[in-house]
Amino acid sequence: MRFVFPSLLIAFSVGCGTSEPPVAAVSGQVLLNDKSVTSGSVSFVSADGRTATAPIVDGKYTMDRAPIGSVKVGISTPSAAGNKQMFKQKVEGKSFDGSSASGVEVPGRYANPDSSGITLDVPAAGSASLDIKLKK
């Protein structure tokens, strides 16, 4: 009888470990009408509600822990007015108002992963390159 309780304790504790859901590294370009979306963020949402977000930098994103399988995608960018303010600076003593900045504003309908209409399949093996091509 002395050995029954410790044996049961060991048997139950072996199966109590927590396991992380599978994730993958994903990167790619974000394009709107074949033009690079230079800044903003990309969000992935899996069927079971897991999320991952990555910044868009110079038209590209890198997400280290994307949920594996089919994901809904959301893309958000700063507004055009926000881009102008962000890029407003002095360049060699001249005022630069950002009007020629290459910021591309993505339509608001793409911001919510549940209603954007964009889905991707994140593969389980290794890392993947998944470009996101949007239309205005």
Side-chain angles (χ1 to χ4, degrees):
M1 187 74 167
R2 268 187 226 173
F3 297 106
V4 174
F5 181 70
S7 298
L8 287 175
L9 185 61
I10 291 170
F12 284 120
S13 66
V14 170
C16 292
T18 60
S19 65
E20 297 270 331
V23 294
V26 178
S27 62
Q29 293 184 321
V30 182
L31 303 167
L32 176 67
N33 294 331
D34 298 324
K35 292 183 181 179
S36 242
V37 175
T38 56
S39 64
S41 64
V42 177
S43 298
F44 287 4
V45 179
S46 67
D48 63 0
R50 291 180 294 130
T51 62
T53 303
I56 300 169
V57 178
D58 296 328
K60 298 178 181 182
Y61 73 96
T62 300
M63 190 177 292
D64 294 330
R65 299 185 52 79
I68 290 175
S70 180
V71 295
K72 296 177 187 177
V73 179
I75 307 290
S76 60
T77 57
S79 67
N83 273 340
K84 276 190 172 186
Q85 186 63 32
M86 195 166 58
F87 289 111
K88 191 173 185 177
Q89 58 183 328
K90 288 198 171 208
V91 179
E92 296 177 352
K94 298 178 184 173
S95 179
F96 176 68
D97 69 356
S99 59
S100 63
S102 61
V104 175
E105 186 177 357
V106 171
R109 71 178 181 271
Y110 290 120
N112 185 341
D114 289 326
S115 59
S116 71
I118 306 167
T119 58
L120 293 174
D121 288 315
V122 177
S127 60
S129 178
L130 299 174
D131 292 341
I132 302 169
K133 297 180 181 182
L134 309 172
K135 297 289 181 193
K136 219 167 202 175

